[in-house]
Amino acid sequence: MAMAMATRSQAQLQVGYYDTLCPAAEIIVQEEVSKAVSGNPGMAAGLVRLHFHDCFVRGCDASVLLDSTQGNRAEKDAPPNTSLRGFEVIDSAKSRLETACFGVVSCADVLAFAARDALALVGGNAYQVPGGRRDGNVSVAQETNGNLPPPSANVAQLNQMFGAKGLTQAEMVALSGAHTIGVSHCSSFSNRLYSSGPNAGQDPSMDPSYVAALTTQCPQQQGQPAAGMVPMDAVTPNAFDTNYYAAIVANRGLLSSDQALLADQTTAAQVVGYTNNPDSFQTDFAAAMVKMGSIGVLTGNAGTIRTNCRVAS
C-alpha cells in the first residue's frame, strides 16, 4: 500500500515543473543555497536533514517549516527537531521566489531543491528533482514520535520505519550515507560512552581509540552528557563521500544506528560495497533521495502554496 502510494505520488511530480510557471525558480533556490553553504559548509547537512525530517512526518509537505502557534506545538519544536537548521535559507529563497512569481512555488519544493543543491556543493552528484508538491497546513509535534528514526535504532527498527514510507532496506542504507556530512550532539551517542546498569561501560562494538577521542570531546559533567557536538564523519566532515561507510567498517560509526548497519549481513555487504565503489553510492543515494522526496506528497488540488513557509495559509 505504501509503495503504491509513493509511486502514484511520484507520477504526479514532474521534472521541470516550473519551467514555464516560474522559469527562475530552481536558479533562485540554488543561488540562496550556494550563498549559505559557501559561508558555512555545515549548512549543507542542515538542509538535507530538514528535507528528510519533513518527508518522514506527514510526507514532503513542508510541515516541518511551520512555526508553533498559541494553540499548537509544531513539528520543529519536537525534541528530535530542535537541532534542525537551515530555516533562514528556505526563508530567503522563498521571499525571492514570491517577488519573482507570487504564489507559485511551494515551500515543499523549495526544501527538495535546496537539499539537492546543498549536496552538489559538497561533492554529491547533481540529480534532477521533480516538482509539483504542495504545502500542508498541519504540523503537530507529537507526530514526530515513531516517524523519525532515533539514534539508537537497530536494522530491524530502521527497516520498519523506512518501510512504512515505502523505502527499501537498500534505500535506507544509501540514505544513511547522509551522515557523512554534518555533526551530532554528544547526547545522541553518550550512552555508548558512559552506560550504566548491568552492562556498564563503553559500547564494545566501538573502536576503543575512537571511544577515547569521543570522551575527550564529550566529557561527562556531573553524570550528565556533555553539551557539545562532534562531526558525524571525523575524516572529511564537510565532504559528501563514502568515509561514513569506511568508518562503520572500522567500528567507528558514531550513532548506534550507524554501527548497526554492520551487524546485519545484508546491510553490511552494502556498506562494504560502497567503500569499494563510491560511484555506486552516489547513484543509489540520488535515486533514493528522489524517491524519498515523493513520500505522501500533496499535488493537484490538494494542499496549498504558502507565501510564508512558517505560517499556515
Side-chain angles (χ1 to χ4, degrees):
M1 175 63 193
M3 278 304 287
M5 188 182 76
T7 315
R8 196 167 62 245
S9 304
Q10 214 163 349
Q12 295 172 318
L13 297 177
Q14 241 179 307
V15 169
Y17 180 83
Y18 294 106
D19 287 356
T20 52
L21 295 169
C22 184
E26 295 195 43
I27 296 160
I28 288 172
V29 175
Q30 202 277 333
E31 286 174 354
E32 290 306 311
V33 170
S34 183
K35 208 186 299 177
V37 174
S38 60
N40 172 12
M43 189 53 75
L47 290 165
V48 173
R49 189 165 175 243
L50 209 48
H51 181 41
F52 175 85
H53 280 232
D54 179 42
C55 291
F56 267 56
V57 183
R58 287 193 167 259
C60 311
D61 67 345
S63 55
V64 77
L65 302 177
L66 287 167
D67 284 342
S68 294
T69 56
Q70 202 170 0
N72 176 63
R73 188 159 158 257
E75 289 169 34
K76 61 163 62 162
D77 291 321
N81 286 341
T82 51
S83 58
L84 288 176
R85 55 207 174 120
F87 294 104
E88 67 288 356
V89 182
I90 305 300
D91 289 339
S92 19
K94 182 62 172 166
S95 83
R96 279 187 62 191
L97 288 164
E98 289 307 297
T99 306
C101 326
F102 183 77
V104 173
V105 184
S106 69
C107 300
D109 277 345
V110 176
L111 272 178
F113 296 147
R116 180 264 317 267
D117 297 339
L119 283 161
L121 289 164
V122 290
N125 275 10
Y127 56 93
Q128 292 194 305
V129 174
R133 296 164 193 78
R134 285 169 69 86
D135 301 325
N137 276 329
V138 177
S139 184
V140 181
Q142 294 92 303
E143 290 187 0
T144 58
N145 297 340
N147 279 309
L148 294 171
S152 59
N154 59 30
V155 169
Q157 291 164 323
L158 291 169
N159 281 340
Q160 187 275 318
M161 297 183 102
F162 279 73
K165 311 296 175 194
L167 296 165
T168 64
Q169 175 175 273
E171 287 162 343
M172 176 273 287
V173 177
L175 288 170
S176 297
H179 286 177
T180 197
I181 50 173
V183 294
S184 172
H185 285 263
C186 293
S187 56
S188 296
F189 56 86
S190 60
N191 63 315
R192 303 187 70 199
L193 309 177
Y194 312 106
S195 62
S196 52
N199 304 313
Q202 291 153 343
D203 186 333
S205 70
M206 197 181 246
D207 170 6
S209 63
Y210 189 41
V211 171
L214 291 172
T215 48
T216 310
Q217 292 168 287
C218 297
Q220 229 179 357
Q221 283 140 1
Q222 285 98 41
Q224 295 301 309
M229 291 186 285
V230 300
M232 300 283 275
D233 163 6
V235 185
T236 50
N238 292 317
F240 192 75
D241 54 25
T242 53
N243 278 337
Y244 162 79
Y245 297 104
I248 291 173
V249 173
N251 293 319
R252 287 172 160 252
L254 185 61
L255 306 178
S256 298
S257 57
D258 298 324
Q259 197 56 49
L261 300 179
L262 200 67
D264 173 279
Q265 217 176 338
T266 320
T267 58
Q270 193 176 340
V271 165
V272 173
Y274 284 155
T275 63
N276 295 327
N277 187 349
D279 288 346
S280 71
F281 162 61
Q282 292 275 7
T283 305
D284 290 356
F285 185 86
M289 281 293 280
V290 171
K291 188 169 165 188
M292 184 191 83
S294 73
I295 295 169
V297 292
L298 301 168
T299 56
N301 297 322
T304 174
I305 305 287
R306 305 203 297 263
T307 50
N308 176 347
C309 293
R310 295 171 179 267
V311 182
S313 58

